[in-house]
C-alpha cells in the first residue's frame, strides 16, 4: 500500500499578511509525520484552525531568514512540544518525546533561535537541533553555549551545487532531502523531497496463483494469495508448481516534491529535480484586472510588472510557470501572494485568483488542469502517478 502524502497551506501571503492570507507555512504529511516548510508569524494559530496536530511535526525546514518565513518558529517549537497540551502529548506507544525536532535552514538560524528562546526564558518540551546549510563565506556556528533543550546541529556544506540533509531514521526508510541556493534578495533555499520507490502492483499475478491454487495448498501453503505480499516484500520471483513464474512487477517511482523559498530565479536547483510530482513556487506579483484604470486600460505593462517583481527578488505567475515547464513537473501550486490578492471565497477574490492561475496556464498549457493557486488552510493530496 502506498502511503498517503498531502500538503496543507497554513499561510500563503507575502511580506504583508492580510485578513485572508497568513504568513508562509506549509505542512507536508508523509510517513505519519508532519514536515513543516517555513514558519511565518502566527503559524501556531493556523495549526489550531487546521485538522493537523502540531505534536506530529518532526522536522522544520526554513527557506530563508525573511521574517514572513520564520518569525513563528520559536512559538511553534514551544507549543508543539508542550506536553501539557493533550492534543500534542505523545501517545503511550510513541517515542515522540525522545526524538529531537530537526530544524534546517540558512545561517544564522541556529543562533537566532537560541537567542530568542534564551532571551524569553522559554523551555521546549522536547530536544531540538538546528542544521545549518552553509555557503562558502558563511560564518560557522560551533554549537557552543547551547540552550538547555538544544542538541548540537550539523553544519552542512554545498557539494556539487547541492546540500544533502541528514534525516536520521527517515534516511533508513529511503527518504532523501536535498536543497540548493536559489536567487532572491537574500540567501534563499529550495528543497527537493524524495520518497523511496514503492513495490509495483501485483494484481496481474492473481490469475497465475489461481491456476496453481490446489497444487500450492498441497505444498503446505494454506493461503496461496499471501505469495502476492511476499513478492512485494522480497522483490524476488517465485516458481509455481506448473512451471510458470511469478515475476515481481517493476517498482513504482516514489513521489518528488520541490518546495522553493522566495525567488526571482530558482534555476540552480534544476539539476536536483527529476520531473517532480509537485512544484511549489512563489508568485508574489502579477498583472491582473486590478491594474486597470476606470477606462479598462492597464496602468502598467507586463514588462514593468516583471521588472519590479524581479527587483524585489520575486516572481510572476508566468516566471513560475516557465520554471515548472523547464523541470517537467506534473503539478504546480503557486503561493506567497501579495496582500492585493485576497484568499477568501468571495467571487471577486476567486476571479482574480483564476486570472493569476490562467497567466500560469498560458505558459505551461500542457498541465493547465494541474496548476493551482494556494489558499490558507487548503490541503492538496499528492497522488502517485
Ligand atoms: Zn517572503
Ligand atoms: Zn523573502
Amino acid at each position: 500500500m502506498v502511503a498517503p502524502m498531502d500538503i496543507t497551506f497554513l499561510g500563503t501571503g507575502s511580506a504583508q499578511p492580510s485578513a485572508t492570507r497568513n504568513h508562509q507555512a506549509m505542512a507536508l504529511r508523509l510517513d505519519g509525520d508532519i514536515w513543516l516548510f517555513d514558519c511565518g508569524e502566527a503559524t501556531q494559530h493556523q495549526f489550531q484552525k487546521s485538522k493537523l496536530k502540531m505534536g506530529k511535526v518532526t522536522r522544520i525546514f526554513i527557506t530563508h531568514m525573511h521574517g514572513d518565513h520564520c518569525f513563528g518558529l520559536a512559538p511553534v517549537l514551544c507549543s508543539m512540544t508542550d506536553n501539557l497540551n493533550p492534543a500534542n502529548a505523545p501517545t503511550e506507544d510513541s517515542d515522540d518525546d525522545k526524538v529531537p525536532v530537526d530544524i534546517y535552514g540558512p545561517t544564522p538560524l541556529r543562533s537566532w533561535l537560541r537567542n530568542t528562546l534564551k532571551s524569553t526564558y522559554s523551555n521546549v518540551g522536547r530536544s531540538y537541533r538546528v542544521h545549518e546549510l552553509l555557503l562558502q563565506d558563511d560564518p560557522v556556528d560551533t554549537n557552543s553555549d547551547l540552550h538547555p533543550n538544544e542538541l548540537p546541529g550539523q553544519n552542512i556544506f554545498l557539494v556539487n551545487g547541492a546540500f544533502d540533509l541528514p534525516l536520521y531514521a527517515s534516511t533508513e526508510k529511503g527518504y532523501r532531502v536535498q536543497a540548493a541556493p536559489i536567487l532572491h534578495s537574500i540567501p534563499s533555499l529550495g528543497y527537493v523531497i524524495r520518497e523511496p520507490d514503492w513495490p509495483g502492483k501485483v494484481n496481474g499475478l492473481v490469475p497465475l496463483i489461481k491456476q496453481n491454487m490446489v497444487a500450492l495448498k498441497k505444498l503446505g501453503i494454506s493461503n496461496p494469495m499471501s505469495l502476492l505480499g511476499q513478492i512485494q516484500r522480497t522483490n524476488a520471483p517465485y516458481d509455481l508448481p506448473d512451471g510458470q513464474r511469478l515475476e515481481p512487477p517493476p517498482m513504482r517511482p516514489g513521489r518528488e516534491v520541490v518546495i522553493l523559498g522566495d525567488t526571482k530565479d530558482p534555476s540552480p536547483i534544476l539539476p536536483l529535480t527529476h520531473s517532480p510530482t509537485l512544484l511549489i513556487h512563489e508568485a508574489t506579483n502579477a498583472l491582473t484586472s486590478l491594474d486597470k484604470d476606470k477606462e479598462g486600460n492597464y496602468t502598467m505593462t507586463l514588462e514593468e510588472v516583471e521588472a519590479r517583481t524581479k527587483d524585489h527578488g520575486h516572481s510572476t505567475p508566468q516566471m513560475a510557470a516557465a520554471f515548472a515547464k523547464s523541470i517537467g513537473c506534473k503539478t504546480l501550486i503557486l503561493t506567497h501572494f501579495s496582500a492585493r490578492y485576497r484568499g477568501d471565497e468571495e467571487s471577486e477574490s476567486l476571479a482574480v485568483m483564476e486570472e493569476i492561475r490562467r497567466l500560469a496556464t498560458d505558459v505551461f498549457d500542457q498541465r493547465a488542469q494541474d496548476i493551482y493557486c494556494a489558499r490558507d488552510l487548503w490541503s492538496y493530496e499528492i497522488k502517485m502517478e
Side-chain angles (χ1 to χ4, degrees), residues 64 66 68-69 184-186 262 314 336:
H64 65 299
H66 275 150
D68 54 326
H69 297 255
H184 182 42
S185 56
I186 65 166
D262 289 1
H314 292 299
H336 195 270

Side-chain angles (χ1 to χ4, degrees), residues 162-363:
F163 295 107
D164 262 298
L165 275 55
L167 294 178
Y168 308 99
S170 293
T171 308
E172 286 162 27
K173 293 182 187 171
Y175 286 87
R176 186 174 190 199
V177 179
Q178 290 185 298
I182 55 177
L183 303 178
H184 182 42
S185 56
I186 65 166
S188 182
L189 294 162
Y191 292 97
V192 181
I193 304 98
R194 264 188 298 279
E195 68 171 350
D197 292 346
W198 291 93
K201 287 183 178 167
V202 288
N203 309 14
L205 305 178
V206 170
L208 295 183
I209 296 180
K210 282 188 175 165
Q211 288 163 24
N212 287 272
M213 195 63 97
V214 177
L216 285 165
K217 284 190 175 170
K218 272 189 190 160
L219 286 173
I221 302 172
S222 58
N223 176 17
M225 284 301 167
S226 66
L227 290 172
L228 295 174
Q230 177 186 316
I231 281 171
Q232 281 196 314
R233 273 193 310 280
T234 61
N235 204 32
Y238 182 90
D239 289 321
L240 292 164
D242 68 356
Q244 297 192 80
R245 176 174 267 200
L246 298 176
E247 291 284 357
M251 298 287 281
R252 303 168 72 189
R255 288 159 285 194
E256 180 175 295
V257 179
V258 179
I259 300 178
L260 303 179
D262 289 1
T263 189
K264 62 178 176 181
D265 175 8
S267 54
I269 205 170
L270 198 146
L272 307 188
T273 65
H274 314 80
S275 305
T277 320
L278 171 63
L279 166 69
I280 297 171
H281 195 303
E282 69 132 290
T284 308
N285 300 109
L287 182 66
T288 69
S289 53
L290 298 178
D291 302 301
K292 285 182 176 171
D293 60 21
K294 283 182 190 147
E295 281 75 47
N297 300 313
Y298 284 111
T299 55
M300 59 185 102
T301 65
L302 177 60
E303 288 71 28
E304 285 167 340
V305 171
E306 192 166 303
R308 209 178 57 184
T309 303
K310 280 186 187 168
D311 273 352
H312 292 95
H314 292 299
S315 295
T316 61
Q318 291 93 330
M319 290 163 66
F323 182 71
K325 193 174 180 180
S326 73
I327 63 170
C329 72
K330 313 291 185 301
T331 304
L332 167 65
I333 300 180
L334 304 174
T335 186
H336 195 270
F337 298 109
S338 154
R340 301 179 74 203
Y341 310 123
R342 295 175 58 84
D344 56 30
E345 302 276 313
E346 297 292 325
S347 57
E348 276 175 36
S349 315
L350 293 173
V352 171
M353 294 320 296
E354 177 59 14
E355 259 190 83
I356 290 176
R357 198 186 77 82
R358 284 186 182 278
L359 294 174
T361 62
D362 286 348
V363 174

Side-chain angles (χ1 to χ4, degrees), residues 155-166:
N155 294 318
I156 306 157
F157 297 92
L158 198 63
V159 178
N160 297 329
F163 295 107
D164 262 298
L165 275 55

